[in-house]
Amino acid sequence: MAPTLPPGLEHGTLEVLVLCPRGQALQDVRDQVARWPLPGRVRWTSDPVEALRLALARPPALAIVDARLDRGTGRALVGQLARWRSELEVFVFDDPPAEGLRGQGSLWHWSELPRVLRWWARRHFPAQAMSDSAPAPLARAA
């Protein structure tokens, strides 16, 4: 399958929206975005309402959402983003559940963030433009 440029290029920059409580994922996101062949801009907020406003003002190519914040708002943000722009990819991350506790399933754990972003970039950019070796494909949890 040929790479397809992601949505969110209306302003000539790949917009990446990050919603997490304290910006703990920002450095990992910025490190990966800096390797992309197109200029990228990372926007962060800890407020789901602000995240939606930012997404409407400048559509992101990719949204990264902390599952705890999304659950706290009744999954409103992820659902609204999906309805608003069906081609937008939204990745939801969470911490691994504590041993013996069964939590709500998450698509990925925060520790996998760099690998997921490399995988996403490989899908959208020509292979010769990426400097890292391709990670094994990730399976999305149901």
Side-chain angles (χ1 to χ4, degrees):
M1 183 167 102
T4 59
L5 288 178
L9 288 172
E10 289 83 1
H11 302 282
T13 301
L14 281 171
E15 300 282 336
V16 177
L17 178 61
V18 179
L19 173 67
C20 61
R22 294 172 303 282
Q24 68 272 22
L26 287 178
Q27 193 56 51
D28 284 339
V29 174
R30 287 184 178 127
D31 289 347
Q32 293 303 315
V33 169
R35 295 180 178 136
W36 294 353
L38 297 173
R41 178 176 170 214
V42 178
R43 294 177 296 158
W44 168 76
T45 183
S46 61
D47 178 12
V49 174
E50 175 71 5
L52 189 57
R53 188 191 68 72
L54 289 170
L56 292 172
R58 288 187 78 146
L62 174 65
I64 297 167
V65 178
D66 187 298
R68 294 169 295 177
L69 289 178
D70 192 49
R71 283 192 300 266
T73 61
R75 303 191 72 79
L77 178 66
V78 171
Q80 287 181 33
L81 287 172
R83 284 188 299 279
W84 168 67
R85 190 171 195 157
S86 63
E87 73 275 12
L88 172 64
E89 291 182 80
V90 180
F91 292 147
V92 181
F93 289 85
D94 205 349
D95 291 322
E99 188 175 324
L101 296 178
R102 300 188 100 205
Q104 179 175 343
S106 174
L107 294 180
W108 290 284
H109 293 150
W110 281 110
S111 63
E112 298 174 297
L113 178 67
R115 183 175 177 218
V116 170
L117 291 178
R118 286 190 307 268
W119 172 74
W120 183 87
R122 288 262 177 224
R123 289 178 41 226
H124 293 288
F125 305 125
Q128 66 273 18
M130 301 304 297
S131 59
D132 290 341
S133 62
L138 299 176
R140 293 179 100 164

